[in-house]
Amino acid sequence: MLTKILPLIALSSIAVVSAHAADIPTRAATPAYSAASMMRLYGGVEVGGGFADYDAKNLNGASVSKSGGSFAGGVLVGAEFGDRLKYGIEAAFNIHESRKRVGALSALDHVQDLLWSSRLVGRVSHPFGQYTPFAFAGVNVGEAHVHRSPDYVGVGDVVMGRGPTAGVGVEYAIMPHTLARIAYHYEQYNFDRAWAGTRVISADHTAHMLRVALIRDFTGGARTTAASAAHQPWAGFYAGGSVSGALSQVETKDSNTRIGQSFDAVNVGVGVFGGYNFAWNNIVFGPDFTLEKQFGRGQKAAGALPAMAYDSMWAAAARARVGYAIGNVLPYVAGGIAYSQFKQGMNQQSLTPVAGNWAAVEPGHGAQVGVGVDYKFAQNLFVRAEYNATLMAQRSIHLNDKPYTTQPVSHTAVVGVGVTF
């Protein structure tokens, strides 16, 4: 009899335990970067540095080379597909600071200055927990300013180049749907038939870069819970578009006589911005990046100096922001490094770099400070109003083979619309 009852008791116990276990809530897994996701869309910001080889040769086959440092920063977007083994495509845009004199005091004495680059690569990756190693390969496209010597920055050419890129890296999930990345990049650009004053050369730029990036996975769901989002509505990634108006005062002096003149240039701009907000109670802080295409011209009739014209082409800034959140309102201050590219010429009608009318096409850097306010009018949408003051570093240029210095100071009003992720 006992041998018949014991199996029944055991079966009943298993059934009861199983039913009870079905009612016990299981602990939800941390929603970090999901390896099982079949598709993800992502975007982020990156900065990096390394060293580059600058090579050049003329039409007769003579060649020179030089090595030097290189720095770049920009934005990236991409998409990945697959389960465990993932494959995808990624695009990026970077602004560079990599100016180098090559072949000093030789017949090929010139300066190479990579201004910006974009890349399009295919990538393959495999997640291992919070780590995701990856490899990539594709093509680079970039624009460089190639000119005679450091004293003749206006005597040169702006040329497009292209070449291969490849590398490896690893990503780490630092929080749900937010990743940190470190990667090695091999980059090559060939700038064919650049005109550097009286010389026609072919220039090659080969760089070995180490970049770090902060990436947001857009398809992984909300980064925070509803409760934390209500407590910190400004925390996380953001991006948007903007329009601007700027008044710039350009101070130009003859380097020999120190006689100078100032004139005003009015510009309008269309751009994009993005960044990341960290929140500590009501204090909001983090990096902010802007990039815009500018349109406009300033002109000055002949006076103390010959007639001149100034065109601003594009502007960018990498800043730190600190603000204090008051509900849906975020007033802030910002400051950081500014970059811009401009053209300055001796002729009011044309800025084309031809004989007798050298135009300086040169990237510049400086400092920017500003104040602004963001207002969140919907759960993930906000508007921005901002004022910035930008002081660019003084640049030495040559116009019509005469040395000058030029320094623009800008006051800019910006309005924009953004989205938080």
Side-chain angles (χ1 to χ4, degrees):
M1 183 68 177
L2 185 60
T3 57
K4 294 180 179 180
I5 293 176
L6 286 175
L8 291 175
I9 294 174
L11 288 173
S12 300
S13 301
I14 292 172
V16 170
V17 170
S18 299
H20 179 67
D23 294 332
I24 297 175
T26 58
R27 182 181 178 184
T30 301
Y33 174 42
S34 173
S37 174
M38 295 298 291
M39 174 182 176
R40 76 174 181 121
L41 302 175
Y42 61 90
V45 295
E46 64 178 11
V47 295
F51 67 92
D53 295 323
Y54 304 82
D55 304 307
K57 62 181 179 181
N58 62 15
L59 298 179
N60 297 323
S63 62
V64 291
S65 63
K66 187 75 173 180
S67 296
S70 183
F71 173 81
V75 295
L76 62 92
V77 293
E80 270 194 333
F81 308 90
D83 186 3
R84 299 298 299 178
L85 182 64
K86 294 179 175 290
Y87 55 93
I89 188 170
E90 182 176 295
F93 177 85
N94 276 222
I95 295 173
H96 289 254
E97 183 67 29
S98 57
R99 190 168 182 258
K100 195 67 179 178
R101 186 178 183 180
V102 183
L105 304 179
S106 72
L108 286 175
D109 190 357
H110 71 285
V111 172
Q112 294 183 31
D113 194 353
L114 183 60
L115 305 177
W116 61 263
S117 72
S118 61
R119 69 176 184 268
L120 181 64
V121 300
R123 58 171 268 165
V124 60
S125 64
H126 191 296
F128 295 93
Q130 290 179 286
Y131 294 90
T132 303
F134 64 92
F136 63 90
V139 294
N140 282 316
V141 176
E143 185 178 61
H145 186 204
V146 180
H147 54 80
R148 270 167 61 180
S149 69
D151 294 332
Y152 285 79
V153 298
V155 187
D157 204 358
V158 176
V159 290
M160 297 287 292
R162 63 187 59 85
T165 183
V168 295
V170 63
E171 294 171 348
Y172 176 74
I174 57 177
M175 63 179 67
H177 320 303
T178 303
L179 301 94
R181 170 196 289 185
I182 185 169
Y184 160 77
H185 293 245
Y186 169 81
E187 302 173 358
Q188 187 177 33
Y189 307 87
N190 176 256
F191 303 99
D192 192 28
R193 299 185 66 82
W195 176 72
T198 59
R199 312 174 182 95
V200 177
I201 64 173
S202 294
D204 291 318
H205 179 103
T206 303
H208 302 271
M209 303 283 288
L210 189 66
R211 284 187 169 95
V212 294
L214 190 63
I215 298 170
R216 170 71 174 179
D217 183 351
F218 298 129
T219 54
R223 188 189 63 81
T224 57
T225 64
S228 62
H231 182 61
Q232 297 179 338
W234 293 102
F237 282 98
Y238 62 89
S242 63
V243 294
S244 68
L247 174 63
S248 300
Q249 186 177 59
V250 184
E251 178 76 23
T252 301
K253 293 182 179 180
D254 186 309
S255 297
N256 294 325
T257 66
R258 305 309 298 167
I259 296 175
Q261 66 182 15
S262 298
F263 59 98
D264 295 331
V266 178
N267 303 310
V268 296
V270 179
V272 294
F273 64 87
Y276 189 89
N277 285 330
F278 299 93
W280 182 58
N281 295 326
N282 287 348
I283 299 175
V284 178
F285 58 96
D288 181 86
F289 304 91
T290 63
L291 174 67
E292 68 175 15
K293 173 63 176 175
Q294 295 183 327
F295 308 88
R297 169 173 293 187
Q299 296 181 340
K300 180 71 173 180
L305 298 179
M308 290 190 180
Y310 174 93
D311 279 13
S312 181
M313 301 169 65
W314 60 260
R319 314 177 303 171
R321 288 201 317 161
V322 179
Y324 188 85
I326 308 171
N328 289 338
V329 180
L330 178 63
Y332 61 86
V333 296
I337 303 172
Y339 292 90
S340 69
Q341 187 179 1
F342 63 87
K343 294 192 285 187
Q344 188 164 345
M346 297 282 286
N347 187 311
Q348 290 180 283
Q349 304 302 320
S350 172
L351 292 179
T352 304
V354 296
N357 178 33
W358 303 127
V361 183
E362 188 69 12
H365 63 275
Q368 183 180 100
V369 294
V371 296
V373 61
D374 290 346
Y375 172 72
K376 185 168 286 190
F377 63 91
Q379 182 176 358
N380 295 316
L381 297 174
F382 66 93
V383 291
R384 166 176 293 187
E386 185 176 272
Y387 161 78
N388 293 311
T390 306
L391 173 64
M392 304 304 296
Q394 187 179 83
R395 302 306 300 261
S396 297
I397 60 176
H398 261 70
L399 301 175
N400 204 16
D401 268 353
K402 288 190 63 177
Y404 294 88
T405 61
T406 188
Q407 184 175 36
V409 179
S410 301
H411 302 273
T412 307
V414 183
V415 294
V417 180
V419 58
T420 58
F421 302 104

